[in-house]
């Protein structure tokens, strides 16, 4: 049973990796199941035994990335540390994040990323209590995601500590 689970996980990983590789070259709407199967070196029946369509593979790949985002395990972790850990993740996974954030024409992954970062914010600032405050945090999180996109496209021209300080300063201004 364990070997089968490992085999299934490996096959799914190969399919997701193939999709991401293809997304680096062309728009998701132009990618076919045959394209994915060819790159992943699996047949169509194998693909369909794990996924119903390209969208399901994409959702699974996005969920994998979100699951790898740094977690806030300590109530005492400060906002700067949380922002910095996310920026380290972005930089360490720049190729993948660039494909999923910069090269995509839809905003599905950005919405998931925003929700994940927003939940981090809420964890660090549990006093969020009203719709107006929540809107401030959404605005702030969206802005930080926007400047992170800029940071990626500038090939990380600014060092991580300086960039963290800028993101933190913006976050504090918007939320105070």
């Amino acid at each position: 049973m364990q070997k089968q689970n490992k085999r299934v996980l490996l096959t799914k990983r190969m399919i997701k990796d193939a999709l991401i590789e293809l997304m680096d070259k062309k728009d998701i709407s132009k990618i076919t199941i045959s394209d994915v199967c060819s790159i992943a070196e699996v047949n169509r029946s194998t693909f369909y035994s794990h996924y119903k369509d390209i969208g399901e593979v994409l959702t699974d790949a996005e969920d994998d990335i979100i699951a790898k985002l740094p977690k806030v395990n300590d109530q005492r972790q400060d906002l700067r540390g949380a922002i910095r850990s996310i920026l380290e993740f972005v930089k360490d996974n720049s190729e993948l994040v660039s494909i999923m954030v910069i090269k995509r024409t839809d905003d599905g992954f950005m919405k998931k990323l925003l929700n994940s970062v927003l939940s981090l914010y809420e964890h660090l600032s549990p006093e969020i209590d009203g719709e107006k405050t929540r809107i401030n945090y959404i605005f702030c999180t969206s802005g930080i995601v926007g400047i992170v996109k800029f940071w990626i496209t500038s090939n990380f021209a600014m060092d991580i500590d300086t960039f963290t300080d800028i993101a933190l300063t913006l976050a504090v201004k918007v939320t105070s």
Side-chain angles (χ1 to χ4, degrees):
M1 185 82 161
Q2 185 69 10
K3 282 188 181 235
Q4 183 182 15
N5 288 340
K6 285 183 180 181
R7 199 173 312 126
V8 167
L9 291 173
L10 177 62
T11 302
K12 286 180 143 189
R13 170 61 35 219
M14 289 170 28
I15 292 170
K16 289 182 277 191
D17 288 349
L19 177 63
I20 291 168
E21 181 180 329
L22 287 163
M23 287 172 61
D24 190 30
K25 298 174 182 141
K26 58 183 174 177
D27 188 79
I28 185 82
S29 65
K30 306 248 190 277
I31 298 172
T32 66
I33 291 171
S34 295
D35 294 336
V36 172
C37 290
S38 176
I39 299 289
E41 297 180 354
V42 298
N43 59 44
R44 289 177 70 86
S45 63
T46 301
F47 178 94
Y48 285 117
S49 70
H50 300 292
Y51 298 104
K52 67 178 180 178
D53 57 25
I54 296 291
E56 192 173 13
V57 180
L58 181 59
T59 297
D60 199 14
E62 290 171 345
D63 291 346
D64 285 352
I65 296 166
I66 297 295
K68 291 178 187 172
L69 280 174
K71 303 288 185 260
V72 178
N73 297 321
D74 185 352
Q75 287 277 7
R76 295 165 294 164
Q77 182 177 4
D78 65 338
L79 186 55
R80 184 184 194 288
I83 291 172
R84 190 177 197 293
S85 64
I86 289 171
L87 293 176
E88 285 173 346
F89 174 84
V90 166
K91 191 169 185 180
D92 292 345
N93 298 278
S94 61
E95 186 176 329
L96 176 62
V97 173
S98 179
I99 291 167
M100 297 302 282
V101 173
I102 307 293
K103 294 186 178 188
R104 297 264 304 269
T105 55
D106 67 279
D107 63 352
F109 181 69
M110 284 303 298
K111 286 179 182 175
K112 283 183 182 180
L113 185 60
L114 273 173
N115 286 334
S116 182
V117 173
L118 186 60
S119 70
L120 168 71
Y121 237 155
E122 290 171 339
H123 180 75
L124 291 171
S125 303
E127 67 277 356
I128 294 177
D129 58 357
E131 194 63 20
K132 182 179 178 187
T133 304
R134 183 159 175 77
I135 289 169
N136 282 343
Y137 281 99
I138 291 169
F139 179 80
C140 181
T141 305
S142 298
I144 289 174
V145 169
I147 64 172
V148 167
K149 281 180 161 183
F150 168 77
W151 189 49
I152 293 168
T153 58
S154 72
N155 201 24
F156 307 100
M158 191 176 295
D159 71 272
I160 196 164
D161 288 315
T162 303
F163 195 78
T164 300
D165 290 339
I166 290 170
L168 180 61
T169 300
L170 293 172
V172 169
K173 282 183 182 179
V174 169
T175 57
S176 45

